[in-house]
Amino acid sequence: MGAPPGYRPSAWVHLLHQLPRADFQLRPVPSGFAPRDQEYQQALLLVAALAGLGLGLSLIFIAVYLIRFCCCRPPEPPGAKSPPPGGGCVIWSCIAALLVGCAGIGIGFYGNSETSDGVSQLSSALLHANHTLSTIDDLVLETVERLGEAVRTELTTLEEVLSERVELVAATWGARRQAEAAAQHLQGLAFWQGVSLSPVQVAEDVTFVEEYRWLAYVLLLLLVLLVCLFTLLGLAKQSKWLVVVMTAMSLLVLVLSWGSMGLEAATAVGLSDFCSNPDTYVLNLTQEETGLSLDILNYYFLCNQAVSNPFQQRLTLSQRALASIHSQLQGLEREAVPQFPAAQKPLLSLEETLNVTEGSFHQLVALLHCRSLHKDYGSALRGLCEDALEGLLFLMLFSLLSAGALATTLCSLPRAWALFPPRNPSALCSGSLPSEPPLQPGACLSSSLHSWLLEKAPLT
């Protein structure tokens, strides 16, 4: 198989393609891209299920940690004035985890943008390929109609004008036969005419799905960002209600992060299988959807010296027919115009039609060459297998960082919440709130001093 120009499977494609796969019965599954096979679908679902396993382990760890923190704490000695040891370390570890989560959000935005750029490149390549195919069909239709119109009008008029000379009428009949033969050969060049598969529809479907995928990830990234920022605000303000709300939100975002990671992992593995050898799958799928012959598909998807142009014979015969018409018209112009001046006008019209037809024919030759469509194919593969796959890997890194940061935050927030001072320090100093942890003597003194200064301020 010939790789498209500028596309080579990356190291990430090789690495992900080499990962072992198994179905639900843990039987090995080949790594060839086969999305319609049930075993291959089960293998991708099992890859996504690994993220569910990570979520379950995270929730178990968090639950065990919180149960141990709530139920297994040693009783504080009566009259203890100092806060529990390690309180500052707990708060700073929570802040560090949130900062790591914020860094992961930046990685996520970059990965989301890269994925969107890759899909956009795929859509652009499909639209350009559709433009090339539509132009070929339009040129063929226009050229055939032009030749048919010339046969019906100018050549018929010329035969009537030259009816007195049998040899000149015979030359006109020869030009008619060559024009009809050229039109017949040209009709076979519109190979995409009548094909049900529309690259425009495929591009629109891909763009539609990508818009919602991009929007969903932007909302997830913004949600993670808001959770991190408001959690940091709650720690800075020592607001218990905000910390409680953000703890619940962190649990929700933790589930979403692991879920997105499973989706990204399964997509990346499947995409690596496709990108390792895309030609075989694309050829089989295109032949199934379009019904075109393998000669045509191999020519445009592979575009190498080993595959000949399937339209070369038709192009050669069409070119010979057009050249023969041109030669016969020149002969008629030399011999018929001096004797039949009325033949000059249809001959000039035929010469003009022939010149336009030859220009369209040369444009068809350029469009039917495999370079243009093969370049679009390579551009689509580079967008899908380089940019989009790279973006998925960065999104996986974001999901992993956010999941780890939120798990650490969920373990740290209850301990940080217990260290927050009460809202009424004077009541706590007087012992009227025994349920709250006691403050240090310095905090009570500073609170009393602050109240005295407020009372004396109007007198000054």
Side-chain angles (χ1 to χ4, degrees):
M1 291 293 181
Y7 169 73
R8 293 292 184 274
S10 63
W12 285 111
V13 171
H14 290 296
L15 180 62
L16 294 174
H17 183 63
Q18 297 300 323
L19 293 177
R21 291 150 179 77
D23 57 9
F24 290 163
Q25 287 76 33
L26 299 183
R27 294 174 299 189
V29 175
S31 57
F33 187 66
R36 297 181 180 178
D37 292 347
Q38 184 177 3
E39 291 79 8
Y40 187 80
Q41 294 174 1
Q42 292 179 359
L44 293 183
L45 289 176
L46 197 60
V47 172
L50 293 177
L53 178 61
L55 173 61
L57 293 177
S58 299
L59 294 177
I60 291 173
F61 173 77
I62 293 171
V64 170
Y65 182 85
L66 294 180
I67 290 173
R68 181 177 177 274
F69 169 71
C70 295
C71 303
C72 302
R73 284 187 300 174
E76 296 182 2
K81 300 296 183 181
S82 60
C89 181
V90 170
I91 294 178
W92 281 110
S93 64
C94 183
I95 294 175
L98 292 172
L99 292 178
V100 170
C102 292
I105 293 170
I107 296 175
F109 272 108
Y110 176 78
N112 197 35
S113 176
E114 282 292 300
T115 305
S116 180
D117 290 343
V119 176
S120 298
Q121 189 173 349
L122 170 63
S123 300
S124 299
L126 288 172
L127 293 176
H128 189 270
N130 181 80
H131 176 72
T132 301
L133 295 171
S134 301
T135 304
I136 291 174
D137 292 343
D138 294 341
L139 275 176
V140 170
L141 180 62
E142 180 183 350
T143 304
V144 170
E145 289 182 352
R146 186 182 296 113
L147 288 174
E149 183 68 19
V151 169
R152 290 189 300 269
T153 57
E154 284 86 354
L155 284 175
T156 302
T157 303
L158 195 60
E159 290 174 4
E160 295 175 354
V161 172
L162 303 178
S163 58
E164 299 179 4
R165 296 283 301 274
V166 178
E167 67 277 11
L168 296 180
V169 173
T172 305
W173 286 350
R176 175 189 290 272
R177 288 193 299 270
Q178 293 297 331
E180 293 174 349
Q184 184 179 1
H185 294 316
L186 289 172
Q187 280 181 341
L189 300 178
F191 66 95
W192 199 260
Q193 191 174 10
V195 173
S196 58
L197 180 63
S198 174
V200 173
Q201 186 62 42
V202 176
E204 290 178 353
D205 293 341
V206 169
T207 304
F208 177 79
V209 174
E210 171 58 21
E211 287 178 353
Y212 282 95
R213 185 212 64 82
W214 179 85
L215 180 60
Y217 268 98
V218 168
L219 293 178
L220 177 60
L221 290 164
L222 292 178
L223 181 60
V224 177
L225 179 61
L226 290 177
V227 168
C228 292
L229 292 180
F230 278 102
T231 304
L232 289 172
L233 180 63
L235 292 175
K237 296 292 186 179
Q238 295 185 344
S239 174
K240 291 186 177 182
W241 70 268
L242 188 56
V243 169
V244 171
V245 172
M246 288 303 107
T247 301
M249 293 297 297
S250 298
L251 182 61
L252 172 62
V253 177
L254 177 66
V255 175
L256 294 177
S257 296
W258 278 110
S260 64
M261 186 174 183
L263 182 62
E264 295 150 7
T267 305
V269 170
L271 192 57
S272 69
D273 294 338
F274 168 77
C275 296
S276 62
N277 185 18
D279 295 337
T280 302
Y281 179 77
V282 173
L283 278 172
N284 294 334
L285 181 63
T286 307
Q287 185 184 24
E288 180 182 347
E289 295 292 334
T290 61
L292 295 175
S293 65
L294 276 178
D295 294 337
I296 296 176
L297 297 179
N298 283 328
Y299 176 68
Y300 286 109
F301 282 115
L302 305 183
C303 195
N304 52 33
Q305 298 297 328
V307 183
S308 60
N309 189 341
F311 305 109
Q312 187 60 49
Q313 184 178 3
R314 288 183 177 275
L315 291 173
T316 302
L317 293 175
S318 300
Q319 186 176 17
R320 289 177 181 175
L322 293 175
S324 177
I325 296 172
H326 192 73
S327 176
Q328 289 172 350
L329 291 180
Q330 286 181 344
L332 287 173
E333 188 175 3
R334 287 194 306 268
E335 298 181 10
V337 170
Q339 301 179 21
F340 303 94
Q344 185 174 8
K345 184 177 180 180
L347 282 174
L348 291 177
S349 180
L350 283 173
E351 286 284 351
E352 183 180 356
T353 301
L354 186 62
N355 291 333
V356 175
T357 302
E358 288 180 344
S360 300
F361 176 78
H362 291 305
Q363 189 177 356
L364 268 176
V365 172
L367 289 173
L368 285 170
H369 197 275
C370 64
R371 284 190 300 266
S372 178
L373 290 175
H374 190 63
K375 183 178 179 181
D376 295 332
Y377 176 52
S379 177
L381 285 183
R382 287 192 299 274
L384 196 61
C385 299
E386 293 179 4
D387 294 341
L389 182 59
E390 180 184 355
L392 283 175
L393 294 176
F394 277 104
L395 287 175
M396 288 177 60
L397 180 59
F398 150 72
S399 299
L400 183 62
L401 290 176
S402 63
L406 292 172
T408 304
T409 302
L410 286 171
C411 292
S412 303
L413 283 179
R415 296 189 63 183
W417 184 86
L419 296 174
F420 290 170
R423 287 299 180 182
N424 191 1
S426 60
L428 182 61
C429 294
S430 62
S432 61
L433 295 175
S435 60
E436 297 288 349
L439 292 179
Q440 297 182 12
C444 298
L445 180 60
S446 61
S447 176
S448 302
L449 180 60
H450 181 67
S451 302
W452 181 83
L453 289 174
L454 288 178
E455 295 176 356
K456 299 296 183 180
L459 299 178
T460 59

